[in-house]
mmCIF file of all heavy atoms in Angstrom:
data_model
loop_
_atom_site.group_PDB
_atom_site.id
_atom_site.type_symbol
_atom_site.label_atom_id
_atom_site.label_comp_id
_atom_site.label_asym_id
_atom_site.label_seq_id
_atom_site.Cartn_x
_atom_site.Cartn_y
_atom_site.Cartn_z
ATOM 1 N N VAL A 80 146.668 127.827 114.526
ATOM 2 C CA VAL A 80 147.754 128.755 114.838
ATOM 3 C C VAL A 80 147.370 130.172 114.427
ATOM 4 O O VAL A 80 147.586 131.139 115.152
ATOM 5 C CB VAL A 80 149.061 128.326 114.139
ATOM 6 C CG1 VAL A 80 150.122 129.407 114.278
ATOM 7 C CG2 VAL A 80 149.558 127.015 114.733
ATOM 8 N N THR A 104 162.787 148.257 114.328
ATOM 9 C CA THR A 104 163.387 146.936 114.492
ATOM 10 C C THR A 104 163.350 146.580 115.977
ATOM 11 O O THR A 104 162.825 147.344 116.793
ATOM 12 C CB THR A 104 164.839 146.904 113.990
ATOM 13 O OG1 THR A 104 165.660 147.688 114.883
ATOM 14 C CG2 THR A 104 164.956 147.461 112.575
ATOM 15 N N PHE A 110 163.406 157.939 113.076
ATOM 16 C CA PHE A 110 162.641 159.129 112.733
ATOM 17 C C PHE A 110 163.431 159.958 111.725
ATOM 18 O O PHE A 110 164.655 159.880 111.657
ATOM 19 C CB PHE A 110 162.391 159.999 113.978
ATOM 20 C CG PHE A 110 161.382 159.456 114.928
ATOM 21 C CD1 PHE A 110 161.775 158.714 116.036
ATOM 22 C CD2 PHE A 110 160.030 159.692 114.733
ATOM 23 C CE1 PHE A 110 160.840 158.225 116.935
ATOM 24 C CE2 PHE A 110 159.087 159.203 115.624
ATOM 25 C CZ PHE A 110 159.493 158.458 116.725
ATOM 26 N N THR A 112 163.423 164.118 109.719
ATOM 27 C CA THR A 112 162.848 165.460 109.702
ATOM 28 C C THR A 112 163.461 166.300 108.612
ATOM 29 O O THR A 112 164.553 166.008 108.116
ATOM 30 C CB THR A 112 163.037 166.162 111.057
ATOM 31 O OG1 THR A 112 162.170 167.309 111.115
ATOM 32 C CG2 THR A 112 164.471 166.628 111.267
ATOM 33 N N GLY A 123 168.665 180.350 114.428
ATOM 34 C CA GLY A 123 167.936 179.774 115.549
ATOM 35 C C GLY A 123 167.319 178.430 115.220
ATOM 36 O O GLY A 123 167.537 177.443 115.937
ATOM 37 N N LYS A 126 169.070 174.989 115.247
ATOM 38 C CA LYS A 126 169.446 174.379 116.515
ATOM 39 C C LYS A 126 168.378 173.427 117.049
ATOM 40 O O LYS A 126 168.625 172.680 118.003
ATOM 41 C CB LYS A 126 169.711 175.476 117.555
ATOM 42 C CG LYS A 126 170.829 176.424 117.164
ATOM 43 C CD LYS A 126 170.895 177.643 118.064
ATOM 44 C CE LYS A 126 171.457 177.308 119.431
ATOM 45 N NZ LYS A 126 171.675 178.528 120.244
ATOM 46 N N ALA A 133 169.714 165.407 120.811
ATOM 47 C CA ALA A 133 170.432 165.329 122.086
ATOM 48 C C ALA A 133 169.559 164.707 123.165
ATOM 49 O O ALA A 133 170.025 163.895 123.978
ATOM 50 C CB ALA A 133 170.900 166.721 122.504
ATOM 51 N N ALA A 140 170.919 156.575 126.237
ATOM 52 C CA ALA A 140 171.944 156.220 127.223
ATOM 53 C C ALA A 140 171.339 155.523 128.441
ATOM 54 O O ALA A 140 172.046 154.841 129.196
ATOM 55 C CB ALA A 140 172.702 157.473 127.667
ATOM 56 N N VAL A 167 161.881 164.918 102.000
ATOM 57 C CA VAL A 167 160.870 164.113 102.688
ATOM 58 C C VAL A 167 160.621 162.824 101.910
ATOM 59 O O VAL A 167 160.454 161.744 102.505
ATOM 60 C CB VAL A 167 159.571 164.913 102.890
ATOM 61 C CG1 VAL A 167 158.422 164.001 103.316
ATOM 62 C CG2 VAL A 167 159.779 165.999 103.936
ATOM 63 N N PHE A 177 160.250 155.640 110.289
ATOM 64 C CA PHE A 177 159.014 155.296 110.978
ATOM 65 C C PHE A 177 158.024 156.444 110.904
ATOM 66 O O PHE A 177 156.831 156.248 110.688
ATOM 67 C CB PHE A 177 159.335 154.965 112.440
ATOM 68 C CG PHE A 177 158.134 154.800 113.321
ATOM 69 C CD1 PHE A 177 157.260 153.730 113.152
ATOM 70 C CD2 PHE A 177 157.878 155.705 114.347
ATOM 71 C CE1 PHE A 177 156.158 153.568 113.975
ATOM 72 C CE2 PHE A 177 156.778 155.553 115.178
ATOM 73 C CZ PHE A 177 155.911 154.479 114.994
ATOM 74 N N LEU A 195 152.598 162.453 102.616
ATOM 75 C CA LEU A 195 152.664 161.697 103.864
ATOM 76 C C LEU A 195 151.339 160.968 104.128
ATOM 77 O O LEU A 195 151.337 159.832 104.608
ATOM 78 C CB LEU A 195 153.010 162.627 105.019
ATOM 79 C CG LEU A 195 154.411 163.245 104.961
ATOM 80 C CD1 LEU A 195 154.604 164.254 106.076
ATOM 81 C CD2 LEU A 195 155.486 162.159 105.030
ATOM 82 N N LEU A 203 154.366 163.768 112.943
ATOM 83 C CA LEU A 203 154.235 164.149 114.346
ATOM 84 C C LEU A 203 154.803 165.523 114.652
ATOM 85 O O LEU A 203 155.941 165.838 114.270
ATOM 86 C CB LEU A 203 154.935 163.111 115.234
ATOM 87 C CG LEU A 203 154.467 161.661 115.080
ATOM 88 C CD1 LEU A 203 155.257 160.751 116.021
ATOM 89 C CD2 LEU A 203 152.974 161.528 115.343
ATOM 90 N N THR A 221 148.618 163.543 110.878
ATOM 91 C CA THR A 221 149.362 164.772 111.135
ATOM 92 C C THR A 221 148.927 165.426 112.443
ATOM 93 O O THR A 221 147.735 165.545 112.714
ATOM 94 C CB THR A 221 149.167 165.764 109.968
ATOM 95 O OG1 THR A 221 149.759 165.210 108.783
ATOM 96 C CG2 THR A 221 149.822 167.108 110.261
ATOM 97 N N PHE A 224 152.267 170.997 117.019
ATOM 98 C CA PHE A 224 152.958 171.102 118.304
ATOM 99 C C PHE A 224 152.816 172.527 118.841
ATOM 100 O O PHE A 224 152.345 172.745 119.942
ATOM 101 C CB PHE A 224 154.441 170.744 118.155
ATOM 102 C CG PHE A 224 155.200 170.797 119.456
ATOM 103 C CD1 PHE A 224 155.157 169.728 120.339
ATOM 104 C CD2 PHE A 224 155.969 171.898 119.796
ATOM 105 C CE1 PHE A 224 155.851 169.757 121.546
ATOM 106 C CE2 PHE A 224 156.679 171.953 120.999
ATOM 107 C CZ PHE A 224 156.614 170.876 121.876
ATOM 108 N N GLU A 231 147.340 182.449 119.025
ATOM 109 C CA GLU A 231 148.345 183.420 119.446
ATOM 110 C C GLU A 231 147.917 184.839 119.082
ATOM 111 O O GLU A 231 148.062 185.774 119.895
ATOM 112 C CB GLU A 231 149.693 183.109 118.785
ATOM 113 C CG GLU A 231 150.785 184.090 119.198
ATOM 114 C CD GLU A 231 152.100 183.843 118.491
ATOM 115 O OE1 GLU A 231 152.089 183.476 117.291
ATOM 116 O OE2 GLU A 231 153.149 184.022 119.135
ATOM 117 N N GLY A 232 147.398 185.022 117.871
ATOM 118 C CA GLY A 232 146.953 186.341 117.445
ATOM 119 C C GLY A 232 145.866 186.899 118.341
ATOM 120 O O GLY A 232 145.835 188.098 118.646
ATOM 121 N N THR A 242 146.187 197.309 126.378
ATOM 122 C CA THR A 242 147.333 198.142 126.761
ATOM 123 C C THR A 242 147.455 199.411 125.923
ATOM 124 O O THR A 242 147.849 200.465 126.432
ATOM 125 C CB THR A 242 148.630 197.309 126.645
ATOM 126 O OG1 THR A 242 148.455 196.062 127.335
ATOM 127 C CG2 THR A 242 149.810 198.050 127.237
ATOM 128 N N VAL A 248 147.357 200.369 115.141
ATOM 129 C CA VAL A 248 147.934 199.024 115.090
ATOM 130 C C VAL A 248 148.115 198.601 113.639
ATOM 131 O O VAL A 248 147.224 198.784 112.802
ATOM 132 C CB VAL A 248 147.024 198.013 115.823
ATOM 133 C CG1 VAL A 248 147.623 196.609 115.752
ATOM 134 C CG2 VAL A 248 146.815 198.446 117.273
ATOM 135 N N THR A 311 162.354 189.061 111.630
ATOM 136 C CA THR A 311 162.137 189.948 112.774
ATOM 137 C C THR A 311 163.279 190.956 112.851
ATOM 138 O O THR A 311 163.059 192.160 113.022
ATOM 139 C CB THR A 311 162.063 189.148 114.083
ATOM 140 O OG1 THR A 311 161.027 188.175 113.995
ATOM 141 C CG2 THR A 311 161.802 190.065 115.270
ATOM 142 N N ILE A 315 162.847 195.094 112.304
ATOM 143 C CA ILE A 315 163.205 196.065 113.338
ATOM 144 C C ILE A 315 164.438 196.865 112.945
ATOM 145 O O ILE A 315 164.501 198.089 113.146
ATOM 146 C CB ILE A 315 163.397 195.343 114.688
ATOM 147 C CG1 ILE A 315 162.047 194.746 115.129
ATOM 148 C CG2 ILE A 315 163.947 196.288 115.747
ATOM 149 C CD1 ILE A 315 162.128 193.868 116.373
ATOM 150 N N THR A 341 168.368 184.646 119.730
ATOM 151 C CA THR A 341 168.483 184.440 118.284
ATOM 152 C C THR A 341 168.416 185.764 117.527
ATOM 153 O O THR A 341 169.286 186.073 116.700
ATOM 154 C CB THR A 341 167.372 183.506 117.788
ATOM 155 O OG1 THR A 341 167.452 182.264 118.480
ATOM 156 C CG2 THR A 341 167.504 183.259 116.291
ATOM 157 N N ALA A 348 175.170 194.669 116.999
ATOM 158 C CA ALA A 348 175.267 195.914 117.770
ATOM 159 C C ALA A 348 173.918 196.618 117.901
ATOM 160 O O ALA A 348 173.742 197.472 118.785
ATOM 161 C CB ALA A 348 176.277 196.851 117.116
ATOM 162 N N TYR A 361 154.957 179.200 125.306
ATOM 163 C CA TYR A 361 154.210 178.189 126.052
ATOM 164 C C TYR A 361 155.143 177.203 126.730
ATOM 165 O O TYR A 361 154.698 176.206 127.300
ATOM 166 C CB TYR A 361 153.247 177.438 125.115
ATOM 167 C CG TYR A 361 153.906 177.002 123.827
ATOM 168 C CD1 TYR A 361 154.569 175.793 123.746
ATOM 169 C CD2 TYR A 361 153.895 177.829 122.714
ATOM 170 C CE1 TYR A 361 155.198 175.407 122.573
ATOM 171 C CE2 TYR A 361 154.517 177.459 121.539
ATOM 172 C CZ TYR A 361 155.171 176.246 121.476
ATOM 173 O OH TYR A 361 155.810 175.873 120.319
ATOM 174 N N GLN A 408 156.339 155.593 124.613
ATOM 175 C CA GLN A 408 156.077 154.780 125.805
ATOM 176 C C GLN A 408 154.639 154.282 125.797
ATOM 177 O O GLN A 408 154.367 153.115 126.064
ATOM 178 C CB GLN A 408 156.315 155.632 127.066
ATOM 179 C CG GLN A 408 157.736 156.135 127.250
ATOM 180 C CD GLN A 408 158.615 155.150 128.004
ATOM 181 O OE1 GLN A 408 158.351 153.958 128.017
ATOM 182 N NE2 GLN A 408 159.676 155.657 128.608
ATOM 183 N N ALA A 422 148.209 156.534 120.180
ATOM 184 C CA ALA A 422 148.764 156.985 121.458
ATOM 185 C C ALA A 422 148.669 158.501 121.601
ATOM 186 O O ALA A 422 148.323 159.015 122.674
ATOM 187 C CB ALA A 422 150.220 156.535 121.577
ATOM 188 N N HIS A 443 143.910 167.704 116.543
ATOM 189 C CA HIS A 443 145.312 167.382 116.293
ATOM 190 C C HIS A 443 146.214 168.614 116.403
ATOM 191 O O HIS A 443 147.327 168.617 115.902
ATOM 192 C CB HIS A 443 145.482 166.742 114.916
ATOM 193 C CG HIS A 443 145.068 165.308 114.865
ATOM 194 N ND1 HIS A 443 145.440 164.457 113.837
ATOM 195 C CD2 HIS A 443 144.306 164.555 115.708
ATOM 196 C CE1 HIS A 443 144.921 163.261 114.055
ATOM 197 N NE2 HIS A 443 144.227 163.297 115.176
ATOM 198 N N GLY A 447 147.687 174.832 123.615
ATOM 199 C CA GLY A 447 146.443 175.582 123.459
ATOM 200 C C GLY A 447 146.447 176.984 124.003
ATOM 201 O O GLY A 447 145.379 177.538 124.268
ATOM 202 N N LYS A 460 167.270 189.947 129.095
ATOM 203 C CA LYS A 460 166.294 188.940 129.515
ATOM 204 C C LYS A 460 164.964 189.173 128.808
ATOM 205 O O LYS A 460 164.642 190.294 128.418
ATOM 206 C CB LYS A 460 166.072 188.995 131.029
ATOM 207 C CG LYS A 460 167.234 188.478 131.866
ATOM 208 C CD LYS A 460 166.895 188.495 133.350
ATOM 209 C CE LYS A 460 165.860 187.461 133.697
ATOM 210 N NZ LYS A 460 165.553 187.426 135.151
#
Side-chain angles (χ1 to χ4, degrees):
V80 171
T104 69
F110 287 96
T112 195
K126 300 169 74 173
V167 167
F177 171 68
L195 294 174
L203 304 180
T221 295
F224 182 82
E231 180 183 37
T242 310
V248 179
T311 303
I315 295 173
T341 302
Y361 47 87
Q408 297 272 24
H443 283 196
K460 288 183 70 178

